[in-house]
Amino acid sequence: MLKLYHAEPAANSLKAMIYLYEKELPFESRYVDLHKFEQHEPWFVALNPEGQVPVLDDDGAIVNHTTVIGEYLEDRFPDAPRLRPNTPLGNARVRYWNKFVDEHVMNYVSMWGWHRMVGVIARGIEGGEFDKLMERIPLKDQQEKWKTARSGFSEKDLAHATRKIEDAVDKVDAHLAKNKWIAGEEYSLADGNFYSMCGMMIARMFPEIGSEKRCPRLLEWVARMNERPGVKKALAMPNRTNPALRTFTGEAR
Amino acid sequence: MLKLYHAEPAANSLKAMIYLYEKELPFESRYVDLHKFEQHEPWFVALNPEGQVPVLDDDGAIVNHTTVIGEYLEDRFPDAPRLRPNTPLGNARVRYWNKFVDEHVMNYVSMWGWHRMVGVIARGIEGGEFDKLMERIPLKDQQEKWKTARSGFSEKDLAHATRKIEDAVDKVDAHLAKNKWIAGEEYSLADGNFYSMCGMMIARMFPEIGSEKRCPRLLEWVARMNERPGVKKALAMPNRTNPALRTFTGEAR
């Protein structure tokens, strides 16, 4: 039996749920409450020493990092609806785009999400309690991100993140002029990746970038993604975040 | 026929050559002279719009990014000696470590290599000529890296890179206490990756980090890697870099 430890349907948690629903694989959902920092609890860190969601548990086999989870599901369930062409060149294209999203998109959209949401949360925690929370975070990078969110990301870093998002949107929009899906003619893991990390929230989160004028093909692709039954099911998963703080889905700014 | 466009046997070019030699796949070597900025020439950018080596040409199918090239060779030549376990969980482990090297190691070792080598080269180019060279670089990030190398990386960024390398070395050393190879019991793509991006040069490039005292298991693994016939063949490829500027292999500091 598959079990997914996940948070709200946005970013990495959404991505893993899209993969599972698109492949029509039944799974047990185990909600991890990030508002209560459950991902840093000893029981969760025992499962994933990095203290991050989502995590897939396949009958005791533990897989983390959503790009790796996506490929794992392809290898593990070859008879389920496929999200990878399984030709050498087709797979290379999926992996090229996954690397692009993982290395040049995700962290920059995330910085703005953290700036708008986690900064507010972090500044609301009293100093001594904040230090205790920090001590429990296993990844040093993640500790630093929390501390920076609390003190505020620099204007320079935020401007750089904006430029990276602009470049990514322009690249994907130009690419979609000649390709139906992100990795070519076939719907794939790369679509779920770019959608969860950027596409699903771009128009709400960055209206000046995700505009009809700047990226019409990208927005047309988002509309097609929104209609997919697997995507709909993933988006319908519970969202317990305070609506005023839903910056990762762009519902709040 | 496979053709590899590559530079010196270090970092990404070394990694692709290790994969080809380990898999015993004959290939045509096409040296791209980075000293002459051949990777930004129109003929090369037509091949790889990102203007970066290495590139694999498999009878007209073009694949770039070495982690993607590695998986491509596994998919394309399933009967050659394998560098991926081809079990769902085994592959997930290889991909976890490849992501770790690609996202948390490579750029930080590279920053020091650029600081020590490309900075010297970039400052030796006259202003007008430098601007013309920059205009030819397709990737904006790469342009910025050149400009930063010329003006000098900040102490803060270099210190952060050093901390990332220290963390990576400690993580891999602890992991190798319980695993023969990077991704577990089987030699894989992940070994060629960590070796090319960090392991092969760590002791020479950062003697205070890559020391017998700090990372004995890592150095023992490097010694085993050095003895592999495929690795030896890759390392024996021509190196035209001025010996005084061989900072990427740690031969010069």
Side-chain angles (χ1 to χ4, degrees):
Chain A
M1 183 63 183
L2 293 172
K3 188 195 251 187
L4 186 74
Y5 297 81
H6 64 89
E8 272 60 32
N12 276 303
S13 289
L14 177 65
K15 181 174 154 189
M17 292 189 285
I18 287 177
Y19 292 161
L20 287 161
Y21 282 121
E22 291 279 8
K23 294 187 79 63
E24 299 166 14
L25 297 167
F27 67 98
E28 184 188 329
S29 151
R30 171 61 167 88
Y31 177 76
V32 179
D33 196 339
L34 305 188
H35 308 85
K36 294 179 183 160
F37 303 97
E38 221 185 339
Q39 77 275 28
H40 307 140
E41 293 281 355
W43 72 265
F44 188 82
V45 175
L47 193 72
N48 177 10
E50 298 184 352
Q52 296 201 286
V53 287
V55 170
L56 182 74
D57 178 342
D58 178 9
D59 244 337
I62 303 296
V63 187
N64 62 350
H65 290 279
T66 47
T67 294
V68 179
I69 289 172
E71 295 242 32
Y72 176 83
L73 294 174
E74 293 306 301
D75 288 348
R76 176 79 171 78
F77 302 100
D79 299 328
R82 78 166 183 238
L83 302 175
R84 199 174 61 185
N86 291 332
T87 62
L89 196 58
N91 290 357
R93 293 202 169 124
V94 171
R95 289 168 184 145
Y96 169 89
W97 285 98
N98 270 344
K99 262 183 94 66
F100 172 72
V101 175
D102 295 358
E103 296 174 16
H104 297 282
V105 180
M106 184 182 76
N107 287 328
Y108 303 102
V109 176
S110 167
M111 186 186 286
W112 274 104
W114 276 64
H115 177 65
R116 292 172 182 168
M117 177 167 86
V118 185
V120 176
I121 295 172
R123 283 187 290 276
I125 304 169
E126 181 270 317
E129 200 195 332
F130 185 78
D131 293 344
K132 260 189 275 175
L133 277 171
M134 290 308 99
E135 275 172 29
R136 276 176 39 185
I137 300 179
L139 285 183
K140 279 189 206 171
D141 286 350
Q142 205 65 9
Q143 282 181 14
E144 279 178 35
K145 207 169 167 187
W146 268 94
K147 287 176 192 167
T148 310
R150 193 169 203 248
S151 60
F153 291 93
S154 72
E155 287 301 317
K156 192 183 159 215
D157 286 346
L158 287 167
H160 180 245
T162 301
R163 278 200 306 282
K164 290 291 285 182
I165 297 163
E166 289 170 345
D167 291 349
V169 164
D170 292 346
K171 179 181 167 107
V172 171
D173 191 65
H175 179 71
L176 288 170
K178 285 171 283 180
N179 298 275
K180 186 172 178 197
W181 300 106
I182 299 285
E185 282 318 294
E186 204 171 297
Y187 178 75
S188 78
L189 297 169
D191 292 286
N193 196 359
F194 187 71
Y195 179 85
S196 304
M197 299 304 173
C198 181
M200 70 89 87
M201 62 280 239
I202 189 74
R204 286 191 300 249
M205 203 169 165
F206 307 98
E208 58 297 346
I209 305 174
S211 69
E212 197 57 55
K213 185 159 176 268
R214 183 166 194 152
C215 56
R217 277 87 47 125
L218 193 157
L219 295 180
E220 187 269 329
W221 166 86
V222 170
R224 273 188 290 131
M225 289 292 291
N226 289 340
E227 288 310 309
R228 293 186 65 92
V231 172
K232 279 188 178 172
K233 279 181 198 155
L235 288 172
M237 293 292 282
N239 189 340
R240 304 191 198 180
T241 305
N242 177 344
L245 284 177
R246 288 184 186 171
T247 59
F248 270 98
T249 53
E251 290 161 71
R253 288 190 72 198
Chain B
M1 182 64 182
L2 293 171
K3 188 196 250 187
L4 186 74
Y5 296 82
H6 64 88
E8 273 60 32
N12 275 302
S13 288
L14 176 66
K15 180 174 153 189
M17 293 190 284
I18 286 176
Y19 292 161
L20 286 162
Y21 282 122
E22 291 280 7
K23 293 188 78 65
E24 299 167 13
L25 297 168
F27 67 98
E28 185 188 327
S29 152
R30 172 61 168 88
Y31 177 74
V32 179
D33 195 340
L34 305 188
H35 308 84
K36 295 179 183 162
F37 302 98
E38 223 185 337
Q39 78 275 27
H40 306 141
E41 294 280 358
W43 72 266
F44 187 82
V45 174
L47 194 72
N48 177 11
E50 297 184 351
Q52 295 202 286
V53 289
V55 169
L56 182 73
D57 178 342
D58 178 10
D59 245 335
I62 303 296
V63 187
N64 62 350
H65 289 280
T66 47
T67 294
V68 179
I69 289 173
E71 295 242 32
Y72 176 82
L73 294 174
E74 293 306 301
D75 288 347
R76 176 78 172 79
F77 302 101
D79 299 328
R82 77 164 184 239
L83 301 175
R84 199 175 60 186
N86 292 332
T87 62
L89 197 58
N91 291 356
R93 293 200 169 126
V94 171
R95 289 169 185 145
Y96 170 89
W97 285 98
N98 270 345
K99 262 183 94 66
F100 172 71
V101 176
D102 295 359
E103 297 173 17
H104 297 282
V105 180
M106 184 181 76
N107 287 327
Y108 303 101
V109 176
S110 168
M111 185 185 285
W112 275 104
W114 276 64
H115 177 65
R116 291 171 182 170
M117 176 167 86
V118 184
V120 176
I121 294 172
R123 283 188 289 275
I125 303 170
E126 181 270 318
E129 200 195 331
F130 185 77
D131 292 343
K132 261 189 276 174
L133 277 171
M134 289 309 98
E135 276 172 29
R136 276 176 39 186
I137 300 178
L139 286 183
K140 280 189 206 170
D141 286 350
Q142 205 66 8
Q143 282 181 14
E144 278 177 34
K145 205 169 169 188
W146 269 94
K147 288 175 192 169
T148 310
R150 194 169 202 247
S151 60
F153 291 93
S154 72
E155 286 302 316
K156 192 183 161 215
D157 286 346
L158 287 167
H160 179 245
T162 301
R163 279 201 306 279
K164 290 290 285 183
I165 297 163
E166 288 170 347
D167 291 348
V169 163
D170 292 346
K171 179 181 167 104
V172 171
D173 191 65
H175 179 72
L176 287 170
K178 284 172 282 179
N179 297 275
K180 185 171 177 198
W181 301 106
I182 299 284
E185 281 317 294
E186 203 171 298
Y187 177 75
S188 79
L189 297 169
D191 293 285
N193 197 359
F194 187 71
Y195 179 85
S196 304
M197 299 304 172
C198 183
M200 70 90 87
M201 62 280 237
I202 189 75
R204 286 191 301 248
M205 204 168 164
F206 308 98
E208 58 295 348
I209 305 174
S211 68
E212 196 57 56
K213 184 158 177 268
R214 183 165 195 152
C215 56
R217 278 87 45 127
L218 193 158
L219 296 178
E220 186 269 330
W221 165 87
V222 170
R224 272 188 290 129
M225 288 293 290
N226 289 339
E227 289 309 310
R228 293 186 66 92
V231 173
K232 279 188 177 171
K233 279 182 198 156
L235 288 172
M237 292 293 280
N239 189 339
R240 303 188 198 181
T241 305
N242 177 344
L245 283 178
R246 290 186 186 169
T247 58
F248 269 99
T249 53
E251 290 163 70
R253 288 191 72 200

